[in-house]
Amino acid sequence: MEETPARLVAKPSWLVTQLAVHAHRLASDSFGEVGARGYHYRILAALDEFGAASQAELGRRCNMDRSDVVAAINELVGQGFVERTPDPDDRRRNIVTLTEAGKGQLRRMDQALEKVQDDLLGPLSAEDRNELTRLLTRLLAHHQRGGRAWSTAGGARHISPQPVIRRATPFRSR
């Protein structure tokens, strides 16, 4: 940043943007090493955490455009990581489920993403990493929820309910 104007490096918005670009590149490269993309991670993680879901539900949970959901699911079906079947209650809708192979791929992607976190946050202590995550979560929640106030419960600061991540695409790769 030696050649960067001081007024830029003094702005958190500029720093966050620069770091987001770097984080995206690291994640894309890391996911590429295991034959995956960021959209795959979003979908596999949602299926693992919440169970089978319609494509529309996955789009909402993963903050993905409908066409991107369909394309990513097509890729995941082709690799045997998810199954897509017609919903017995509504034949116009598909239900997507995670396969055992998909769980294995998610584990590989989790490991790849852990390495990215270590690379990205290497200069920070564990305490600093937790604090950074807390602050970023707080900022994101504020801007997504129109500035909802934080509350304290049992001495811990938290948002209730969990923040909804909308259109944040740090792991988007095409």
Side-chain angles (χ1 to χ4, degrees):
M1 285 197 273
E2 300 157 9
E3 298 293 323
T4 305
R7 67 175 22 120
L8 287 178
V9 296
K11 303 290 187 240
S13 57
W14 187 85
L15 294 168
V16 168
T17 300
Q18 298 307 301
L19 195 56
V21 169
H22 185 66
H24 180 266
R25 184 186 54 77
L26 289 173
S28 294
D29 291 351
S30 186
F31 284 152
E33 291 174 10
V34 294
R37 299 185 308 118
Y39 280 166
H40 297 164
Y41 186 75
R42 291 182 192 189
I43 290 171
L44 295 176
L47 291 171
D48 186 59
E49 187 168 334
F50 302 112
S54 71
Q55 292 177 177
E57 287 172 312
L58 287 170
R60 285 188 296 276
R61 285 184 179 143
C62 299
N63 301 301
M64 292 172 59
D65 184 77
R66 184 181 322 186
S67 63
D68 292 329
V69 171
V70 171
I73 289 174
N74 286 343
E75 293 168 356
L76 292 167
V77 166
Q79 296 169 318
F81 297 145
V82 300
E83 292 177 345
R84 177 177 40 206
T85 57
D87 184 337
D89 298 327
D90 183 352
R91 300 299 244 172
R92 297 169 295 172
R93 188 168 80 158
N94 288 313
I95 300 296
V96 181
T97 56
L98 185 62
T99 65
E100 285 302 315
K103 289 178 184 179
Q105 177 68 343
L106 181 58
R107 282 191 298 276
R108 286 186 292 279
M109 293 178 80
D110 278 334
Q111 290 170 350
L113 199 51
E114 250 339 281
K115 291 177 186 171
V116 168
Q117 305 313 300
D118 288 341
D119 187 14
L120 183 68
L121 304 174
L124 302 179
S125 68
E127 183 179 318
D128 287 344
R129 290 178 186 202
N130 289 335
E131 180 69 2
L132 177 63
T133 301
R134 186 188 69 74
L135 291 171
L136 291 172
T137 300
R138 181 177 177 186
L139 286 169
L140 185 58
H142 169 81
H143 291 287
Q144 290 176 338
R145 298 220 182 239
R148 264 193 200 191
W150 283 67
S151 64
T152 56
R157 295 187 64 145
H158 68 280
I159 294 176
S160 183
Q162 283 289 84
V164 176
I165 310 297
R166 297 193 192 283
R167 298 306 302 168
T169 57
F171 302 117
R172 180 179 184 170
S173 61
R174 289 189 140 265

